[in-house]
Amino acid sequence: VEAEGLLRESEARLAAFLDNSPGSLFTKDADGRYVYVNGAFLARVEAAGGGADVLGKTDGEFFGPDLARVF
């Protein structure tokens, strides 16, 4: 029980760090689909005129094929 509590605290600290980082952070699964993006990533995408619906998509599905090749 104590170990589970410590793990939850550690995960919460990591999540807060990632979510509040000024750098664009993301993770993808083995198929290249976004499974996590932080607020800085979303802010940059939205400022560039993109939407926030990136989770579950590949670069090609989200950015389009031309920009995905560059990205």
Side-chain angles (χ1 to χ4, degrees), residues 13-43:
R13 279 192 306 275
L14 177 60
F17 173 77
L18 295 175
D19 289 340
N20 293 293
S21 173
S24 295
L25 303 173
F26 59 87
T27 57
K28 296 179 184 180
D29 65 14
D31 295 322
R33 297 188 178 283
Y34 288 90
V35 295
Y36 169 82
V37 295
N38 71 347
F41 181 96
L42 290 177

Side-chain angles (χ1 to χ4, degrees), residues 44-70:
R44 286 178 176 85
V45 167
E46 290 173 352
D53 189 24
V54 66
L55 295 180
K57 295 182 179 175
T58 64
D59 289 336
E61 293 168 339
F62 185 69
F63 294 107
D66 293 335
L67 185 55
R69 277 190 290 279
V70 174

